[in-house]
């Protein structure tokens, strides 16, 4: 009997903290959303530009893009964020905290996204390019009208994964003191001395955001497959 | 009537690294002429068509189109290709476009033709190959024979002066071969200039003005269907015909 009533009291306490603190997360959750969405869009743009540069097959451009990709892949995102926020100002490049975070996150996912695009572009059968050539299309027309639409479709599942990773990676922006979900969670934990309900709230927010993204992606995938049997 | 040379090939050579595949091909194709190319596997038939169309970079030789040398600059190459239709063994339709859009693609993108007009002509071409009902479906929903007919319509949409076919029926189930050959036959009747690589000997005999027997990268024999099938001179042609009938 005593065990049960103690448990009830604890559950009540847990719920009351959750109810009290959940709304207080909202501005930080919005910040998480902002960081993720902007860095995903920007990262996709970077990815496209990088893969386009690579496709020119110009040696110098290829070296630069390869360097970019291997640096991003070869070092932790945490270090990259520190570098942009604390390192770049030393050579006169200073950005606000938010801008630093977005640049860092976009740069990071851009490298992975460009590799996703490259993979799916390479997976398009050479016959597609030849059919375009045979019609008299230029290289550029073939890329825009034949290769890119098919490659984009093929990259959607991998892009989706990358988007989900980007949402989680945005939590690292807390190290340059951006008040996003994880930073606010840490502050609330310090204030309440009660980590469990606070982390629970943060987890639920992430889970909901990511579930919504997954759903949207699945819908996009379905819409893109109208041309399949 | 068939006196105007539309395509002339001079001393065409093609090597892949050390492998010399075409060893000096000379050919003239006249307007309205149907020329079939036969020969064993690996004799260089596809490579010949692909070099004509600059899908392969030739090692040596010249191509003259309507009396003018085709330069290998991108611009001149693309202009030339726009006037040469090509049909591949494996169709290579654009899977992300509906049938009608596959057919419209060339005129709209390369010739900047008005979309509405392009759609109308594309629809007429689909009628011509008997696929107007399939205008709004995607290539994935078609049989092989239907795909190849769409591929022919797509090439025709550019209003080419000559059509190249590389084994247009080799990837098809036997019962679908006929419908594609029929379409090609009708083109021949309409006076389309064509070069056709094929293993369908009966068809070649019936449709061709001229047949070329390619062997080890050279034109081993060239003649009318009668010359080639009833009165072959080249020993390898004789054994090739024996093996295939
Ligand atoms: N891209 C290529 N690279 C190397 N060798 C090739 C290539 N394309 C064709 N070949 C070779 O050239 C020869 C002729 O090929 P092909 O023209 O396809 O013959 P056919 O169409 O008469 O069967 C073959 O020996 C083939 O292996
Ligand atoms: Mg071949």
């Amino acid at each position: 009997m005593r065990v049960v009533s103690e448990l009830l009291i604890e559950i009540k306490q847990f719920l009351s903290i959750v109810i009290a603190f959940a709304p207080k997360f909202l501005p930080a959750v919005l910040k998480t959303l902002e960081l993720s969405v902007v860095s995903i869009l920007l990262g996709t743009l970077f990815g496209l530009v990088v893969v386009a540069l690579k496709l020119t097959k110009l040696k110098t451009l290829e070296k630069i893009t390869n360097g970019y990709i291997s640096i991003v892949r070869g070092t932790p995102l945490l270090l990259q964020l520190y570098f942009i926020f604390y390192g770049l100002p030393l050579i006169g490049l200073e950005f606000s905290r938010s801008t630093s975070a977005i640049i860092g996150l976009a740069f990071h996912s851009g490298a992975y996204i460009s590799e996703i695009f490259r993979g799916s572009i390479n997976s398009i059968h050479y016959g597609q390019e030849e059919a375009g050539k045979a019609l008299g299309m230029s290289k550029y027309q073939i890329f825009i009208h034949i290769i890119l639409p098919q490659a984009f479709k093929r990259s959607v599942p991998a892009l989706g994964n990358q988007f989900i990773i980007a949402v989680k990676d945005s939590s690292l922006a807390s190290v340059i003191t951006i008040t996003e979900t994880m930073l606010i969670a840490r502050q609330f934990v310090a204030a309440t001395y009660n980590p469990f309900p606070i982390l629970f709230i943060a987890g639920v927010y992430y889970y909901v955001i990511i579930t919504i993204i997954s759903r949207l992606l699945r819908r996009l995938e379905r819409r893109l497959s109208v041309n399949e049997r | 009537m068939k006196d105007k040379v539309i395509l002339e090939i001079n001393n065409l050579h093609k090597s892949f690294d050390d492998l010399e595949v075409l060893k000096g091909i000379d050919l003239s194709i006249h307007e309205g002429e149907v020329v079939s190319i036969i020969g064993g596997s690996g004799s260089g038939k596809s490579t010949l068509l692909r070099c004509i169309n600059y899908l392969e970079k030739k090692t040596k030789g010249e191509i003259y189109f309507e009396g003018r040398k085709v330069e290998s600059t991108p611009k001149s190459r693309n202009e030339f290709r726009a006037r040469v239709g090509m049909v591949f063994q494996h169709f290579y339709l654009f899977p992300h476009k509906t049938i009608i859009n596959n057919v419209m693609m060339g005129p709209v993108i390369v010739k900047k033709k008005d979309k509405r007009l392009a759609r109308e002509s594309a629809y007429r071409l689909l009628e011509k190959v008997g696929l107007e009902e399939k205008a709004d479906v995607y290539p994935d929903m078609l049989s092989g024979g239907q795909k190849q007919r769409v591929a022919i319509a797509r090439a025709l949409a550019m209003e080419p002066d000559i059509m190249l076919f590389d084994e247009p029926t080799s990837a098809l189930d036997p019962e679908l071969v006929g419908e594609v050959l029929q379409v090609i036959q009708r083109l021949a009747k309409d006076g389309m200039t064509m070069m056709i690589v094929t293993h369908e000997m009966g068809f070649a005999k019936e449709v061709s003005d001229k047949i070329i027997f390619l062997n080890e990268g050279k034109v081993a024999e060239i003649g009318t269907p009668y010359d080639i099938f009833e009165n072959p001179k080249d020993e390898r042609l004789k054994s090739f015909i024996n093996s295939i009938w």
Side-chain angles (χ1 to χ4, degrees):
Chain A
M1 239 12 242
R2 252 192 67 196
V3 180
V4 173
S5 64
E6 262 174 28
L7 192 64
L8 276 177
I9 289 171
E10 245 177 70
I11 289 175
K12 228 173 112 188
Q13 203 183 8
F14 178 89
L15 286 179
S16 67
I17 293 182
V18 166
I19 288 164
F21 278 86
K24 295 189 182 162
F25 268 80
L26 275 179
V29 169
L30 282 179
K31 193 73 197 173
T32 290
L33 275 177
E34 180 197 320
L35 285 176
S36 329
V37 170
V38 177
S39 73
I40 284 167
L41 292 180
L42 218 57
T44 306
L45 192 68
F46 281 177
L48 263 179
V49 170
V50 167
V51 87
L53 292 179
K54 230 173 176 174
L55 287 175
T56 60
K57 301 223 163 86
L58 296 176
K59 280 263 149 28
T60 347
L61 289 178
E62 214 163 353
K63 272 199 187 128
I64 293 172
T65 55
N66 284 345
Y68 160 55
I69 292 167
S70 77
I71 287 172
V72 166
R73 288 212 289 205
T75 58
L77 173 56
L78 196 53
L79 187 149
Q80 292 160 19
L81 287 172
Y82 275 133
F83 176 75
I84 288 169
F85 188 59
Y86 298 108
L88 288 186
L90 300 180
I91 55 166
L93 280 170
E94 203 165 338
F95 305 106
S96 73
R97 279 178 300 161
S98 245
T99 313
S100 298
I102 283 171
I103 291 176
L105 293 168
F107 234 68
H108 187 82
S109 52
Y112 288 97
I113 290 173
S114 78
E115 285 294 279
I116 291 172
F117 282 144
R118 190 174 64 90
S120 50
I121 285 170
N122 286 341
S123 78
I124 304 298
H125 194 277
Y126 66 85
Q128 292 293 308
E129 182 181 345
E130 293 200 338
K133 283 182 180 171
L135 289 172
M137 292 168 101
S138 68
K139 280 207 152 119
Y140 172 78
Q141 290 170 330
I142 291 172
F143 183 68
I144 295 295
H145 297 284
I146 300 176
I147 308 296
L148 202 57
Q150 296 185 57
F152 176 73
K153 180 182 155 184
R154 270 186 213 183
S155 60
V156 166
L159 275 182
N161 260 333
Q162 197 56 46
F163 289 179
I164 286 167
I165 292 170
V167 174
K168 299 188 197 182
D169 278 353
S170 73
S171 64
L172 288 175
S174 60
V175 298
I176 52 176
T177 62
I178 292 193
T179 317
E180 48 65 69
T181 311
M182 278 317 286
L183 186 74
I184 206 87
R186 244 174 287 153
Q187 287 171 358
F188 289 155
V189 167
T192 58
Y193 298 111
N194 203 343
F196 190 45
I198 297 294
L199 293 178
F200 176 80
I201 300 171
V204 168
Y205 274 120
Y206 277 110
Y207 187 84
V208 168
I209 292 174
I210 287 168
T211 306
I212 291 172
I213 293 181
S214 306
R215 290 259 166 89
L216 289 176
L217 283 163
R218 225 172 308 141
R219 197 178 297 177
L220 178 64
E221 263 179 68
R222 230 175 304 137
R223 186 174 301 179
L224 284 174
S225 62
V226 289
N227 62 336
E228 287 165 16
R229 258 201 229 250
Chain B
M1 181 192 132
K2 294 181 178 175
D3 48 2
K4 182 181 162 202
V5 173
I6 187 165
L7 186 74
E8 193 174 319
I9 296 158
N10 273 349
N11 195 28
L12 177 63
H13 286 257
K14 171 67 188 175
S15 303
F16 293 106
D17 299 321
D18 289 340
L19 179 69
E20 192 175 24
V21 176
L22 299 178
K23 302 170 183 167
I25 305 272
D26 297 291
L27 275 181
S28 348
I29 311 289
H30 294 77
E31 189 163 36
E33 203 171 34
V34 177
V35 178
S36 291
I37 300 161
I38 62 173
S41 172
S43 57
K45 304 180 298 295
S46 297
T47 306
L48 173 59
L49 285 196
R50 294 167 58 77
C51 282
I52 290 176
N53 199 349
Y54 290 82
L55 288 180
E56 298 289 353
K57 200 173 166 191
K58 55 189 180 345
T59 314
K60 209 167 99 185
E62 291 93 39
I63 293 171
Y64 293 86
F65 184 64
E66 299 192 322
R68 296 237 309 269
K69 189 172 159 181
V70 183
E71 306 293 339
S72 62
T73 60
K75 188 166 176 288
S76 140
R77 224 177 35 205
N78 290 346
E79 282 170 8
F80 173 60
R81 282 174 177 155
R83 304 180 61 180
V84 177
M86 175 110 178
V87 173
F88 302 88
Q89 183 176 350
H90 296 286
F91 336 124
Y92 300 152
L93 294 182
F94 305 127
H96 60 301
K97 298 270 177 188
T98 58
I99 298 308
I100 190 104
N101 279 319
N102 264 271
V103 180
M104 290 164 57
M105 192 103 160
V108 169
I109 288 165
V110 178
K111 291 186 172 172
K112 318 276 181 225
K113 198 166 162 181
D114 176 73
K115 270 202 177 151
R116 207 173 45 83
L117 294 177
R119 183 174 290 273
E120 280 168 18
S121 335
Y123 193 80
R124 274 195 299 278
L125 282 169
L126 285 179
E127 282 177 334
K128 199 165 166 178
V129 299
L131 287 170
E132 67 276 14
E133 289 136 60
K134 302 288 184 187
D136 296 316
V137 308
Y138 287 91
D140 214 19
M141 283 76 179
L142 301 188
S143 72
Q146 292 173 329
K147 281 184 198 168
Q148 195 60 300
R149 281 145 67 198
V150 174
I152 294 172
R154 178 178 68 180
L156 289 175
M158 290 297 288
E159 300 176 323
D161 295 306
I162 180 170
M163 290 276 286
L164 311 177
F165 294 84
D166 189 4
E167 299 198 33
T169 60
S170 294
L172 301 179
D173 292 335
E175 76 270 21
L176 303 178
V177 168
E179 61 189 63
V180 172
L181 294 184
Q182 245 175 30
V183 168
I184 300 174
Q185 214 140 17
R186 233 176 298 141
L187 285 179
K189 218 170 269 164
D190 293 348
M192 176 61 77
T193 313
M194 297 191 273
M195 290 179 78
I196 310 170
V197 172
T198 185
H199 289 297
E200 298 287 333
M201 293 303 151
F203 169 74
K205 196 171 169 178
E206 204 174 314
V207 79
S208 313
D209 299 299
K210 203 154 79 185
I211 296 181
I212 291 166
F213 174 62
L214 215 58
N215 189 57
E216 290 176 1
K218 287 202 185 111
V219 176
E221 190 156 339
I222 180 166
T224 64
Y226 179 83
D227 296 335
I228 296 289
F229 290 110
E230 314 301 335
N231 192 18
K233 302 204 169 51
D234 187 88
E235 288 307 318
R236 289 152 307 182
L237 173 57
K238 284 181 192 169
S239 64
F240 176 72
I241 288 170
N242 281 332
S243 73
I244 224 158
W245 278 118

